[in-house]
Amino acid sequence: MGWVLVAVSSGAEARLGELSETSVLAAGGTPNGWTCLSDTGPLHAGALRFTAATEGLGVLRNALEAAGPIDAAILPAARFGRKRLLISDMDSTIIGQECIDEIADAVGLKAKISEITERAMRGELDFEAALTERVAMLKGLPLGALARTLEERITLNPGARTLIATMKAHGAATLLVSGGFTYFTSRVAELAGFESHQGNTLIDDGATLTGEVGRPILGREAKRTALLEAAAALGASAEETLAMGDGANDLDMIRASGLGVAYRAKPVVAAEAAGSIRHTDLTAALFFQGYKASEFVLD
């Protein structure tokens, strides 16, 4: 079967193509030509077309990971190309934090709440139940704490604005979809450049949080639905979408997409995504679609 391997590294430089070909051969595949996507810093990237049996792909991924700090996507040749929709998780993907954990710090509950968050993102807890439990702990928190959290603690991950601006410049739609809260999705979407956003709603009494979250809760299934509905609105197929995330509640939309990308993700997510970013930055998702560095829209 025909496949494409896209490899991205901040350090492998000229050896990246050689390492990719060696890894394909070690997995029993046949390399069919390396295309350089960026031969200048800060990142080096290229695409290698190859043929291989599906059962050899796990060996290939392991060989690449052993070769060095390389981020890679392995996908069928028919799915390689620029996507018409970018749909992404927010917490720990577009931003470097989990918003609810940072809010919790204002009431001295960060350690307790972040432990629940971590277990939910690993898929060990039901997402809706875990979110309801954590929000209940925030009852009575002044609304001003949300603004302080946003201003003092929330930061975009490297490459976020370039990823979004480049895809928009080439005609893609962009949607931020989060199991977090609309207070943050609305502001992060604007900061990062997303055209639209979806999230959960924190209920308040005008001064403080009530400890409740609006229903229905946007979770794992809702993220998949958001992808399918946004693609349909564009007249696009699910294969023409790029979905990114880090936690178990992102799995359904990653599975439904044409290119699923795990960003510094939990093992259960990284194992299912076609592309994984662990070492570089979010612009690797552009290389995974075949963009060249010269086409990036820089912030």
Side-chain angles (χ1 to χ4, degrees):
M1 182 175 177
W3 299 88
V4 175
L5 161 66
V6 183
V8 186
S9 176
S10 60
E13 301 183 4
R15 294 190 61 230
L16 191 58
E18 176 189 341
L19 289 170
S20 298
E21 292 189 356
T22 300
S23 297
V24 166
L25 289 169
T30 303
N32 295 324
W34 171 261
T35 300
C36 182
L37 298 174
S38 174
D39 56 2
T40 59
L43 299 181
H44 303 266
L48 177 68
R49 293 184 179 271
F50 68 98
T51 55
T54 303
E55 55 266 25
L57 298 183
V59 177
L60 172 55
R61 191 177 293 277
N62 291 338
L64 277 171
E65 290 179 354
I70 297 171
D71 289 329
I74 303 169
L75 64 162
R79 290 192 183 182
F80 181 55
R82 297 176 183 182
K83 303 305 180 186
R84 296 177 60 187
L85 170 68
L86 164 64
I87 181 168
S88 179
D89 173 49
M90 179 178 70
D91 297 280
S92 298
T93 302
I94 294 299
I95 61 175
Q97 299 78 29
E98 292 285 337
C99 288
I100 194 167
D101 295 355
E102 300 306 319
I103 299 169
D105 204 24
V107 289
L109 291 173
K110 184 173 183 178
K112 185 174 182 178
I113 285 182
S114 62
E115 191 273 335
I116 299 172
T117 301
E118 178 69 14
R119 292 184 63 198
M121 293 303 99
R122 291 199 303 261
E124 297 173 4
L125 299 175
D126 175 76
F127 177 80
E128 183 170 331
L131 183 66
T132 301
E133 179 184 1
R134 286 174 290 163
V135 172
M137 296 181 194
L138 301 177
K139 183 178 180 179
L141 184 71
L143 296 183
L146 302 181
R148 288 193 298 275
T149 297
L150 179 71
E151 181 179 352
E152 298 174 4
R153 295 172 180 262
I154 304 304
T155 56
L156 293 178
N157 276 325
R161 288 183 58 84
T162 296
L163 166 63
I164 297 154
T166 301
M167 291 191 66
K168 286 169 61 177
H170 289 85
T174 56
L175 170 62
L176 184 68
V177 59
S178 174
F181 310 114
T182 52
Y183 180 90
F184 294 97
T185 60
S186 61
R187 292 158 175 82
V188 170
E190 182 177 2
L191 183 63
F194 282 93
E195 296 165 309
S196 55
H197 69 95
Q198 297 179 26
N200 287 305
T201 303
L202 286 169
I203 306 299
D204 66 77
D205 61 10
T208 65
L209 297 182
T210 66
E212 299 170 302
V213 61
R215 305 289 171 150
I217 289 178
L218 191 157
R220 181 167 170 164
E221 184 177 342
K223 287 190 174 188
R224 179 180 181 275
T225 298
L227 180 150
L228 296 176
E229 290 180 347
L234 295 172
S237 69
E239 289 191 353
E240 295 176 285
T241 67
L242 161 61
M244 296 197 313
D246 72 298
N249 64 325
D250 300 313
L251 268 174
D252 286 0
M253 73 173 183
I254 283 175
R255 288 169 177 158
S257 69
L259 173 58
V261 175
Y263 180 80
R264 303 192 180 183
K266 305 301 181 284
V268 67
V269 181
E272 298 243 9
S276 178
I277 302 173
R278 297 189 304 155
H279 306 289
T280 58
D281 64 38
L282 286 168
T283 60
L286 292 170
F287 290 126
F288 291 168
Q289 299 172 74
Y291 282 95
K292 294 185 177 180
S294 59
E295 299 176 288
F296 290 7
V297 178
L298 302 178
D299 185 21

